[in-house]
Amino acid sequence: DAGITQSPRHKVTETGTPVTLRCHQTENHRYMYWYRQDPGHGLRLIHYSYGVKDTDKGEVSDGYSVSRSKTEDFLLTLESATSSQTSVYFCAISGSPGGRGTSDYEQYFGPGTRLTVT
Amino acid sequence: GESVGLHLPTLSVQEGDNSIINCAYSNSASDYFIWYKQESGKGPQFIIDIRSNMDKRQGQRVTVLLNKTVKHLSLQIAATQPGDSAVYFCAEKETSYGKLTFGQGTILTVHP
């Protein structure tokens, strides 16, 4: 499982509240990603990180922010949750363990977080 | 924008048969492709990948074929087993650092 954990695994929250999802990896991979998965849309990239404090937007970044203050943790924050953000969120990692190389493109995914915004 | 798509949303096979899952991609600049398997309630699991300078790559019971002329990718699973039942996604890499674009997925059902 490439040492990836996500927390929480399930969350129900109310519209307008802030929510933070955590992705934690234990193998020092350089790249980390946040996706959402919805029926009819597949996996869509929200934000990604190519190093500590280095992040960039994906295709569906509106309403989301991220932070990566250390290699092992990548946080996804919903500033003010809306019902359209009800989804399953997956974290992924890529890049050689230890950051020794940048040629490993395969991404390995965490178990996912099911978020429901009521 | 460019996208990856699948010809068949569902595929049902008998245990022991060979399965073929197809994927069409539209970005001729994509240079790397991956197949993922996703079981219910789990994250996508890496199966096999192929670079654009290859036509075929084999793994354990799986083979990926790449036809760049018609921008087509396929995943062949030999001697399909009930445990192979899942959703299968193809993904393409379009940029230098590794951002992937995913297809919608094909549901494979294996009947014992």
Side-chain angles (χ1 to χ4, degrees):
Chain A
D1 62 357
I4 307 169
T5 58
Q6 293 184 231
S7 59
R9 294 293 314 279
H10 302 272
K11 186 171 181 65
V12 179
T13 191
E14 294 183 346
T15 298
T17 61
V19 176
T20 295
L21 308 182
R22 180 185 185 227
C23 177
H24 180 76
Q25 56 133 335
T26 59
E27 298 180 353
N28 201 25
H29 293 276
R30 177 179 177 184
Y31 300 101
M32 299 185 76
Y33 311 81
W34 275 108
Y35 291 89
R36 60 179 290 173
Q37 186 175 39
D38 305 287
H41 291 281
L43 284 157
R44 293 181 292 173
L45 182 66
I46 305 171
H47 282 279
Y48 62 93
S49 170
Y50 44 96
V52 173
K53 298 184 179 179
D54 290 325
T55 65
D56 206 347
K57 296 179 179 180
E59 62 180 300
V60 290
S61 60
D62 287 348
Y64 302 95
S65 63
V66 290
S67 66
R68 192 170 180 197
S69 59
K70 46 186 178 178
T71 300
E72 57 266 36
D73 288 326
F74 193 33
L75 304 180
L76 176 70
T77 297
L78 287 65
E79 311 285 351
S80 177
T82 67
S83 58
S84 65
Q85 293 176 312
T86 292
S87 186
V88 180
Y89 291 85
F90 288 102
C91 174
I93 57 87
S94 69
S96 300
R100 292 186 294 273
T102 59
S103 60
D104 292 345
Y105 299 123
E106 60 262 34
Q107 294 182 19
Y108 296 92
F109 286 79
T113 294
R114 182 173 295 277
L115 176 67
T116 302
V117 183
T118 61
Chain B
E2 302 283 356
S3 63
V4 177
L6 295 173
H7 295 306
L8 300 174
T10 61
L11 177 64
S12 293
V13 300
Q14 291 296 127
E15 182 178 1
D17 288 352
N18 296 330
S19 302
I20 300 176
I21 302 171
N22 297 300
C23 176
Y25 66 95
S26 55
N27 188 349
S28 58
S30 294
D31 61 358
Y32 177 75
F33 304 87
I34 305 179
W35 280 101
Y36 286 93
K37 171 186 180 183
Q38 187 175 25
E39 298 174 279
S40 180
K42 297 183 179 180
Q45 175 186 359
F46 175 90
I47 301 174
I48 192 168
D49 59 357
I50 188 169
R51 298 187 184 275
S52 59
N53 61 354
M54 302 171 67
D55 298 322
K56 178 181 180 179
R57 190 168 188 215
Q58 289 183 295
Q60 187 176 16
R61 282 203 305 120
V62 295
T63 301
V64 55
L65 299 177
L66 177 62
N67 186 330
K68 295 180 287 295
T69 302
V70 295
K71 299 178 187 173
H72 184 266
L73 192 67
S74 69
L75 177 70
Q76 300 179 1
I77 305 174
T80 315
Q81 302 168 1
D84 293 328
S85 294
V87 177
Y88 289 81
F89 297 91
C90 62
E92 61 179 323
K93 181 185 77 69
E94 304 176 30
T95 64
S96 60
Y97 84 89
K99 188 170 64 173
L100 299 177
T101 299
F102 290 83
Q104 294 296 310
T106 293
I107 301 171
L108 174 65
T109 303
V110 183
H111 301 283

